[in-house]
Amino acid sequence: EMFMFNQAVMGFGNSTWMQMILEQFDAMVMNVANSYRLQEECDTLSLTLAKHKGNINLSEFKAVMMASLRSLVPKQWNSDHEVAWIWLWENVERMLKALM
């Protein structure tokens, strides 16, 4: 819910492809320690995204994701969290771009 709120506030409300990523994002996070499984999740997501007609700007998802995470745990959020989540997304983005 926080993601969808931030998506709308940040002007990306019509970016339906973000919902496609969000639906599979939990599986990617849960499998971050297993690079083969993370690659499989990215493979599956790339097939889903291939059905989308229009532009997909993955950096927009990153901006909404980071804003949402920061607002969900504001007191606990620190630079270590920031680095870890950016690292995760940059790896996912790299894998997706290689497939798109």
Side-chain angles (χ1 to χ4, degrees):
E1 292 175 2
M2 180 61 74
F3 184 92
M4 290 180 281
F5 172 79
N6 283 326
Q7 180 183 2
V9 168
M10 295 172 76
F12 303 126
N14 293 328
S15 299
T16 56
W17 58 268
M18 284 192 188
Q19 189 63 36
M20 295 173 182
I21 296 175
L22 189 59
E23 288 170 3
Q24 292 187 250
F25 193 66
D26 184 57
M28 290 186 283
V29 171
M30 297 303 291
N31 290 293
V32 69
N34 182 340
S35 62
Y36 294 109
R37 181 61 193 271
L38 181 59
Q39 181 66 56
E40 286 178 359
E41 295 296 338
C42 289
D43 292 346
T44 303
L45 179 56
S46 71
L47 293 173
T48 303
L49 291 174
K51 297 175 186 175
H52 176 75
K53 292 177 174 60
N55 292 334
I56 295 175
N57 185 346
L58 296 172
S59 64
E60 292 175 356
F61 183 89
K62 176 184 173 185
V64 176
M65 175 193 72
M66 295 304 291
S68 300
L69 289 167
R70 288 182 199 117
S71 60
L72 285 172
V73 287
K75 291 183 181 179
Q76 294 88 1
W77 192 262
N78 61 35
S79 61
D80 291 337
H81 292 102
E82 190 91 9
V83 168
W85 283 101
I86 289 173
W87 175 87
L88 168 64
W89 181 251
E90 286 176 350
N91 280 287
V92 167
E93 186 174 3
R94 179 181 44 79
M95 289 183 228
L96 288 173
K97 284 183 175 179
L99 297 165
M100 295 168 71

